[in-house]
Amino acid sequence: MNIYIPTCNSRIYLIEALIYSLKKYWYDFENTKFTVVGYNSPKFDLPKNVMFESLGDDDTVENWAIDLKTYFDSIDDDYFVYMNDDAAIVDTMDIELFNLFLNIIEQNDNSKLGRICLTQDISNNSHSVIGEYGDFSLIQLNQDAQYRLSTQFSIWNREYLTKYMTENMTPWQFELQDTAKNDGWNILGTKNKYCLDFYHLWRIGGMSSTWNVGTHSGKDLSTVTEDYNFISSVLDKSDG
């Protein structure tokens, strides 16, 4: 499954930290295709399986959604993984969970499967258990839940993602759309066990004050010296 990482000129330097973590923790990294979708090319080298696609001239954040809609409308993938540029994954991903999600997509006869969350995110919102797997549950976000459109690491149905991408819309406005409630699309995830966790390196206004703490696990980045040193060096490249 292809993976897309949208970015912009001011934050593209963060991609280096994300790619570092993917090389170390993403299953079968070298045989997976990653595409960075941005404006100007990065100033650091990309691995051979990481492509860069330009959206043209750097744009304002208010055009985030429409720029990405234009791009995603041009690709063939029915489903793909969406990753944020300001996150680095914490530890080895759970490949068994990821394969379960791929099987669900392959066996899905319902075209209304909109998103499968790879993190703990949707278990924090109102949901229903739809399957038990021993040490974890497969869950479905309720139709009236908040953040049905969360941009955290997820497998997206391209039609569903672009359905809610319109003009004059920032990522934060995208996530808060009430029109996604009761839309009949299914949002899946897990409870008690998750595919991955991440460090949230950047927030509105600058570097996150908790950039070195796993978002869901609370893992302290400093416990892995090589990761801490590399990611710290990337953050030091910030202009702000």
Side-chain angles (χ1 to χ4, degrees):
M1 178 171 287
N2 293 331
I3 297 173
Y4 294 89
I5 310 169
T7 191
C8 60
N9 287 352
S10 64
R11 286 177 22 193
I12 193 170
Y13 72 99
L14 294 171
I15 296 285
E16 191 172 12
L18 173 56
I19 291 175
Y20 165 86
S21 70
L22 291 170
K23 288 173 69 175
K24 186 171 181 178
Y25 297 123
W26 190 267
Y27 173 77
D28 201 23
F29 171 82
E30 293 183 353
N31 293 312
T32 302
K33 180 183 176 182
F34 298 83
T35 303
V36 176
V37 183
Y39 298 94
N40 293 350
S41 300
K43 297 178 181 179
F44 51 89
D45 293 333
L46 297 173
K48 63 181 181 181
N49 59 314
V50 180
M51 311 296 120
F52 177 79
E53 293 277 356
S54 177
L55 297 171
D57 294 332
D58 196 16
D59 216 339
T60 65
V61 69
E62 287 75 20
N63 286 330
W64 169 87
I66 199 64
D67 284 353
L68 287 181
K69 175 179 170 57
T70 300
Y71 177 78
F72 287 133
D73 280 345
S74 74
I75 66 175
D76 295 329
D77 307 82
D78 291 326
Y79 289 91
F80 55 83
V81 175
Y82 178 108
M83 294 184 175
N84 282 321
D85 57 359
D86 61 353
I89 62 176
V90 169
D91 210 335
T92 304
M93 67 177 290
D94 190 318
I95 186 58
E96 291 184 1
L97 274 184
F98 191 70
N99 283 335
L100 170 65
F101 299 152
L102 297 183
N103 288 336
I104 289 172
I105 291 171
E106 184 177 350
Q107 297 170 13
N108 178 51
D109 293 327
N110 180 359
S111 61
K112 293 292 188 179
L113 177 55
R115 177 169 72 94
I116 303 178
C117 184
L118 301 180
T119 73
Q120 184 179 331
D121 187 36
I122 79 165
S123 68
N124 297 325
N125 294 322
S126 60
H127 62 268
S128 303
V129 174
I130 60 173
E132 295 286 2
Y133 291 82
D135 58 346
F136 73 95
S137 303
L138 182 67
I139 61 176
Q140 181 170 292
L141 201 58
N142 292 341
Q143 285 289 323
D144 60 353
Q146 298 288 339
Y147 290 104
R148 288 174 54 80
L149 300 176
S150 171
T151 58
Q152 281 200 21
F153 290 78
S154 294
I155 299 172
W156 280 89
N157 176 309
R158 178 169 59 91
E159 178 187 352
Y160 186 60
L161 177 64
T162 58
K163 167 184 171 69
Y164 288 103
M165 288 180 158
T166 60
E167 293 183 359
N168 301 314
M169 180 177 288
T170 68
W172 308 283
Q173 291 170 323
F174 171 81
E175 290 187 321
L176 293 173
Q177 294 179 86
D178 282 338
T179 50
K181 294 180 179 180
N182 302 301
D183 64 3
W185 287 79
N186 298 319
I187 312 299
L188 304 184
T190 53
K191 186 174 184 177
N192 299 324
K193 187 177 179 181
Y194 311 98
C195 194
L196 58 84
D197 187 21
F198 62 97
Y199 299 109
H200 201 164
L201 305 179
W202 190 95
R203 294 185 184 274
I204 298 175
M207 190 172 72
S208 169
S209 61
T210 56
W211 66 271
N212 58 337
V213 179
T215 301
H216 302 303
S217 66
K219 181 176 180 178
D220 188 338
L221 178 59
S222 66
T223 61
V224 187
T225 303
E226 60 181 356
D227 292 5
Y228 182 86
N229 289 342
F230 188 89
I231 293 173
S232 295
S233 70
V234 170
L235 292 175
D236 285 343
K237 299 175 183 179
S238 169
D239 293 332

